[in-house]
């Protein structure tokens, strides 16, 4: 299945989530997710190209599937240039409106996001009429408690964000929250996979990775991954710790051992992950925790390290 000509799917790698540009409406396009803050100039350029093609001066709105830094980092730049209203799920709406960083995820994960002002809540059960399409908003908790997915039933197109990728799904962040019961959030992941299976999308536009049509295969892969994490939730904690280190290195490209250890020691989610993995402050300090994570990522071919620095492995 091919995307309609009015829809642009921009695959952007892992530092910035994919972006979907929904055109074909006289009010201007909808921009779904906007990447990481360091890629804001690229986001502006991509939106400008779409606007020029569609013959509009500004987007109708920016939509966020959820409020993780790799999905909303370009919101502020688009607001500054175009005055774009932001529509987002209700979970962190008030926190974003007040820019209460104690209730947003950016400090907790050691990531960054430029400030923006949300205007409207994306409520599950809502329908968004846009050009020839009608996008149904569905709650999709698991990766994030307030995450939503968007489904166009007439064409069978699903914007799945981090609820389903071709090879799995995003970190289950509720599992890492303070005081959470280990393994409890995996039920929400399963329920969201059940929802996607019931929708039977013909084409999936994920938050990371390429678009795909083999939804049944992707769901089987995701369920297998979920069963693996459920069998031992500590596996998920270690996976999350390594994934967040990789994300940090995607932003910085290279870090000294001291800087990486300091980041791990001062990032709340990494402190909790170290505790979940059974490493108390007495038995394993941040530097030892860093070395264990880096050694694992080096063995898998994702990082390189020497006595002074840790860096992304150069792809040949």
């Amino acid at each position: 299945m091919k995307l309609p000509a009015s829809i642009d799917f921009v695959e952007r790698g892992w530092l910035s989530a994919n972006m979907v540009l929904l055109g074909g409406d006289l009010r201007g396009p909808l921009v779904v997710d906007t990447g990481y803050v360091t890629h804001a100039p690229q986001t502006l350029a991509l939106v400008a190209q779409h606007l020029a093609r569609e013959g509009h001066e500004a987007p109708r709105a920016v939509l966020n599937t959820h409020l993780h830094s790799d999905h909303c980092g370009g919101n502020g730049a688009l607001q500054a240039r175009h005055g774009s209203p932001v529509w987002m799920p209700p979970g962190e709406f008030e926190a974003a409106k007040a820019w209460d960083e104690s209730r947003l995820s950016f400090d907790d994960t050691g990531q960054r996001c430029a400030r923006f002002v949300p205007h409207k809540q994306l409520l599950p059960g809502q329908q968004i009429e846009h050009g020839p399409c009608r996008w149904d908003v569905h709650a999709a908790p698991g990766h994030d408690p307030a995450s939503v997915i968007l489904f166009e039933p007439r064409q069978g197109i699903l914007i799945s964000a981090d609820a389903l990728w071709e090879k799995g799904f995003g970190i289950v962040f509720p599992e890492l929250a303070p005081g959470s019961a280990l393994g409890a959030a995996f039920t929400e992941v399963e329920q969201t996979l059940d929802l996607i299976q019931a929708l039977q999308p013909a084409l999936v536009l994920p938050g990371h990775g390429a678009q795909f049509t083999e939804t049944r295969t992707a769901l089987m892969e995701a369920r297998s991954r979920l069963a693996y994490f459920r069998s031992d939730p500590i596996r998920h904690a270690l996976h999350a710790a390594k994934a967040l280190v990789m994300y940090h290195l995607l932003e910085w490209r290279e870090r000294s051992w001291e800087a990486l250890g300091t980041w791990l020691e001062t990032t709340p989610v990494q402190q909790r992950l170290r505790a979940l993995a059974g490493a108390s402050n007495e038995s394993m300090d941040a530097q030892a925790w860093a070395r264990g994570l880096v050694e694992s990522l080096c063995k898998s071919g994702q990082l390189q390290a020497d006595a002074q620095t840790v860096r992304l492995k150069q792809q040949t």
Side-chain angles (χ1 to χ4, degrees), residues 119-198:
H119 294 76
K120 179 179 176 179
Q121 296 188 28
L122 281 178
L123 299 173
Q126 178 183 357
Q127 293 180 341
I128 302 171
E129 299 285 347
H130 187 76
C133 298
R134 184 200 72 201
W135 295 91
D136 295 336
V137 181
H138 293 276
H143 170 67
D144 179 84
S147 186
V148 299
I149 55 178
L150 306 174
F151 184 58
E152 212 298 316
R154 286 172 287 193
Q155 300 181 79
I157 300 172
L158 175 69
I159 300 175
S160 66
D162 293 339
L164 180 67
W165 303 333
E166 190 172 19
K167 299 291 184 181
F169 47 82
I171 295 169
V172 186
F173 276 97
E175 278 288 298
L176 317 181
S180 62
L182 206 58
F186 293 141
T187 298
E188 291 187 330
V189 176
E190 182 178 30
Q191 291 169 346
T192 293
L193 295 176
D194 289 344
L195 167 65
I196 293 172
Q197 183 171 329

Side-chain angles (χ1 to χ4, degrees), residues 30 88 102 155 191 205 251 256 260 302:
L30 295 175
M88 58 168 283
S102 68
Q155 300 181 79
Q191 291 169 346
L205 308 180
E251 179 179 3
S256 69
L260 182 60
Q302 296 172 281

Side-chain angles (χ1 to χ4, degrees), residues 62-112:
V62 169
L63 278 65
N64 291 129
T65 56
H66 58 295
L67 214 63
H68 287 169
S69 62
D70 57 330
H71 290 257
C72 61
N75 289 12
L78 285 167
Q79 280 195 332
R81 176 166 295 185
H82 299 294
S84 303
V86 172
W87 305 350
M88 58 168 283
E92 293 178 301
F93 185 88
E94 294 301 329
K97 196 170 182 180
W99 207 251
D100 183 346
E101 297 187 12
S102 68
R103 295 160 57 198
L104 298 171
S105 67
F106 315 126
D107 284 349
D108 191 61
T109 55
Q111 297 166 7
R112 296 185 289 142

